[in-house]
Amino acid sequence: MYTGKVMEHFTNPRNVGEIENADGVGEVGNMKCGDIMRIYIKVNDQDVIEDVKFRTFGCGAAIATSSVVTEMVKGKNLDEALEITNKKVAEELGGLPENKMHCSNLAADALHKAIEDLKSKRNQK
Amino acid sequence: MKKTYLDHGATTQVNPDVLEVMLPFLGEFYGNPSSIHSFGRETKKALEEAREKVAAGIGAEPREIVFTSGGTESDNIAIRGVARALQKKGNHLITSAVEHHAVLDACLALKKEGYELTVLPVDEYGMVSAKDVEAAITDKTILISIMMANNEVGTVMPVAEIGKLARERGITFHTDAVQAIGLLPLDVNDLSCDLLSLSAHKFYGPKGVGILYVRKGAKLDVFNFGGAQERRMRPGTENVPGIIGMAKAVEVVVADREKRAARISSLRDKLIQGLLKIEDTKLNGHPEQRLPGNVNVSVKYVEGESMILSLDLKGIAASSGSACTSGSLDPSHVLIAMGLDHQLAHGSLRMTLGTDNTEEEIDYVLEVMPEIVARLRSMSSVYTGSKKE
């Protein structure tokens, strides 16, 4: 039911972990649905995402989308990062089963939340 | 890679002896049992012999056996049939929150049609209480349907006691025994049931064929119309090869039940004990009143489907009650009815053992599981670290 690329990311997920003193942290999902994704970002002074990590509780699709979104966003600036959508994440994985498109395909949302978090922290300064 | 099958609750491998008796009926003996010529007479004779074998296996009379397409159809014919046939007598049905969807959804559909429905709760082990059944009975109660053993958590229900309660009050009692045959003692008279559902592929028979036991005198309306097969309760040309195979499967599993159940139970206990050594795990279902082959544990901080995928990569077949594997957005209704929180319900892992499993396979599972859990926890957004660190 999953593509080879989904299974590859599930088996060898990229950028697992946390970033201490991250510039932005975004969390989406809830335990009722069974998926909770958290993404940490670190940007340099040119607003380029230098480091990104994730932690995810969830199914194969949740883990693979989290992993691939970190790969897609690394080295991108914030504007480019905001152009990444859940749909693009799924495409990058060669597609997801239909029933996973809405419940487990939230990694881009987590990324966007991390960017929002970063911006709101800046506004407070 | 060596493959380890621990999903016998989903389906089982056809027993070689079962396959052997089926083959002639997929070849040489193809007559329609309803035909009066020699081709028909040959298969008719085999069909009736199969009926006798099945009946003998569950303590019934041959004429009380209705061949169906499987457990789901048996449950539907029974529940809808009784509700309709007895609607002049009453309109109240009793079932439990942990029934298979074939029973639960059939009852809920009847509720929509205007029947009164009591869905009994279960305790933390998934057990239905006979006292609760008794308390729910009204003078309008026409049907009680409680499963013999739960398919997800393996809890064995007090069906003989419930059957007795129903019998004393003249209420029709149906039990879904799909998971029980060949593992628990099963005699329709000991259970005092009027209707009982079975499915061949759960006990080393072929898919697409099942049994509805209908006690002599039980009243059922029918919903499908056609020929006179199966006393009109299940019209349509019989699945002859399937039925022949199923009868053989009944014979096989009933004959060596005790020995097999004891062997499977000891593997089950070893697997349970090993899995519970992993930190933050919990057994789901009753510790003693449990199907011999059922293991169900919740692993905190990880989600079920990711465990199933990880096990599959190691050649191990298991299942889960997580939303991702239940085919809906909600986790298992059984685990939620038992009071598990969503994390533990999503983190459930079911391994169901069968005749073919070995101790080496259990050792292998116990060898790979700690690594799988540790890896998934290291990725988990809700894992807070080992207490031992």
Side-chain angles (χ1 to χ4, degrees):
Chain A
M1 71 183 227
Y2 285 134
T3 64
K5 195 154 181 197
V6 171
M7 286 311 291
E8 203 275 313
H9 273 271
F10 174 75
T11 314
N12 303 298
R14 330 292 198 254
N15 306 308
V16 175
E18 294 173 16
I19 298 174
E20 264 186 64
N21 306 316
D23 296 316
V25 183
E27 185 177 302
V28 292
N30 62 66
M31 198 46 90
K32 196 163 184 292
C33 303
D35 288 312
I36 298 179
M37 304 176 182
R38 194 157 62 237
I39 286 187
Y40 303 80
I41 54 171
K42 186 111 194 148
V43 297
N44 65 15
D45 42 17
Q46 270 93 53
D47 270 358
V48 170
I49 297 176
E50 274 190 323
D51 198 10
V52 51
K53 295 229 185 283
F54 83 89
R55 276 198 193 280
T56 290
F57 170 97
C59 64
I63 290 170
T65 52
S66 306
S67 167
V68 84
V69 87
T70 64
E71 212 176 50
M72 288 164 80
V73 82
K74 217 172 197 178
K76 296 248 165 72
N77 68 36
L78 293 181
D79 290 338
E80 290 166 335
L82 285 168
E83 281 168 22
I84 297 172
T85 59
N86 290 333
K87 192 162 166 270
K88 284 182 184 165
V89 170
E91 281 165 9
E92 186 70 21
L93 288 167
L96 286 172
E98 184 56 36
N99 62 334
K100 300 285 181 181
M101 286 303 283
H102 300 292
C103 59
S104 310
N105 186 23
L106 301 168
D109 294 349
L111 171 67
H112 296 176
K113 272 202 164 178
I115 294 171
E116 268 173 46
D117 180 50
L118 171 149
K119 288 180 175 170
S120 76
K121 276 180 186 161
R122 278 186 184 167
N123 290 340
Q124 281 166 17
K125 278 179 191 169
Chain B
M1 183 169 46
K2 187 188 161 342
K3 289 203 170 188
T4 301
Y5 188 75
L6 294 175
D7 205 9
H8 293 82
T11 194
T12 58
Q13 186 180 18
V14 172
N15 175 301
D17 295 341
V18 168
L19 181 62
E20 197 186 318
V21 301
M22 288 174 70
L23 289 174
F25 293 89
L26 290 160
E28 196 183 345
F29 302 108
Y30 60 86
N32 186 325
S34 298
S35 301
I36 58 167
H37 47 61
S38 66
F39 294 81
R41 291 199 304 273
E42 280 166 354
T43 50
K44 178 74 173 176
K45 184 167 172 282
L47 188 71
E48 293 315 315
E49 283 169 5
R51 200 183 304 281
E52 285 167 23
K53 272 187 197 165
V54 168
I58 62 170
E61 288 178 29
R63 57 165 303 173
E64 295 175 313
I65 302 299
V66 175
F67 293 127
T68 68
S69 69
T72 294
E73 191 182 39
S74 294
D75 288 340
N76 276 273
I77 293 175
I79 290 165
R80 296 186 64 79
V82 171
R84 184 70 68 89
L86 300 181
Q87 59 186 342
K88 286 212 175 83
K89 196 178 159 206
N91 67 344
H92 179 230
L93 319 168
I94 298 173
T95 189
S96 86
V98 297
E99 296 298 310
H100 189 278
H101 282 297
V103 168
L104 201 52
D105 290 1
C107 288
L108 290 168
L110 287 166
K111 188 182 177 187
K112 274 194 178 164
E113 291 173 22
Y115 287 85
E116 296 284 326
L117 175 66
T118 300
V119 180
L120 294 172
V122 293
D123 69 10
E124 61 180 305
Y125 302 119
M127 185 72 82
V128 175
S129 137
K131 279 207 175 70
D132 287 353
V133 174
E134 190 173 11
I137 293 171
T138 72
D139 56 358
K140 295 282 182 208
T141 307
I142 50 173
L143 174 69
I144 299 170
S145 179
I146 303 289
M147 68 199 331
M148 195 166 167
N150 184 268
N151 50 312
E152 291 188 37
V153 296
T155 301
V156 178
M157 309 298 183
V159 278
E161 207 180 325
I162 296 167
K164 199 162 160 276
L165 284 172
R167 177 65 52 83
E168 285 164 4
R169 290 161 179 79
I171 299 165
T172 303
F173 176 50
H174 167 253
T175 187
D176 180 325
V178 162
Q179 295 287 335
I181 188 170
L183 292 168
L184 302 176
L186 197 167
D187 181 298
V188 292
N189 295 310
D190 295 344
L191 296 178
S192 308
C193 62
D194 301 292
L195 300 147
L196 178 141
S197 306
L198 293 170
S199 176
H201 76 104
K202 306 287 191 185
F203 58 92
Y204 312 96
K207 291 168 184 65
V209 59
I211 296 158
L212 178 63
Y213 159 78
V214 182
R215 185 175 294 279
K216 212 172 102 189
K219 288 188 177 56
L220 288 185
D221 267 18
V222 298
F223 294 86
N224 286 302
F225 300 93
Q229 296 92 346
E230 301 305 303
R231 300 189 3 264
R232 296 196 183 276
M233 282 186 265
R234 205 282 181 175
T237 299
E238 301 87 345
N239 173 0
V240 177
I243 291 166
I244 303 297
M246 175 166 67
K248 182 69 185 174
V250 168
E251 200 176 56
V252 171
V253 296
V254 168
D256 70 346
R257 184 191 64 78
E258 280 182 66
K259 209 174 114 200
R260 197 159 33 83
R263 200 183 75 82
I264 295 172
S265 298
S266 84
L267 293 178
R268 171 200 67 188
D269 294 342
K270 180 175 178 166
L271 183 54
I272 290 175
Q273 283 158 21
L275 290 174
L276 293 181
K277 282 186 188 149
I278 299 171
E279 208 180 340
D280 287 320
T281 51
K282 169 192 181 303
L283 179 69
N284 296 319
H286 201 282
E288 283 120 33
Q289 301 301 314
R290 186 174 195 99
L291 276 176
N294 180 287
V295 175
N296 190 313
V297 293
S298 279
V299 180
K300 214 174 167 190
Y301 312 117
V302 295
E303 191 274 343
E305 190 206 85
S306 62
M307 279 191 281
I308 303 305
L309 291 173
S310 304
L311 286 163
D312 188 42
L313 290 167
K314 302 277 186 190
I316 300 163
S319 73
S320 169
S322 78
C324 286
T325 53
S326 70
S328 70
L329 290 175
D330 298 311
S332 148
H333 69 289
V334 174
L335 298 174
I336 296 297
M338 287 161 59
L340 264 72
D341 66 26
H342 276 83
Q343 185 184 152
L344 288 175
H346 284 298
S348 69
L349 176 68
R350 182 185 77 158
M351 292 178 169
T352 38
L353 285 64
T355 307
D356 49 298
N357 292 126
T358 63
E359 189 151 5
E360 289 70 40
E361 289 177 325
I362 304 305
D363 289 335
Y364 174 59
V365 173
L366 293 176
E367 184 192 314
V368 301
M369 262 306 278
E371 300 164 23
I372 288 172
V373 172
R375 188 182 91 91
L376 293 171
R377 281 182 177 166
S378 76
M379 287 191 248
S380 172
S381 53
V382 292
Y383 187 50
T384 46
S386 168
K387 286 177 200 129
K388 285 179 188 158
E389 277 167 16

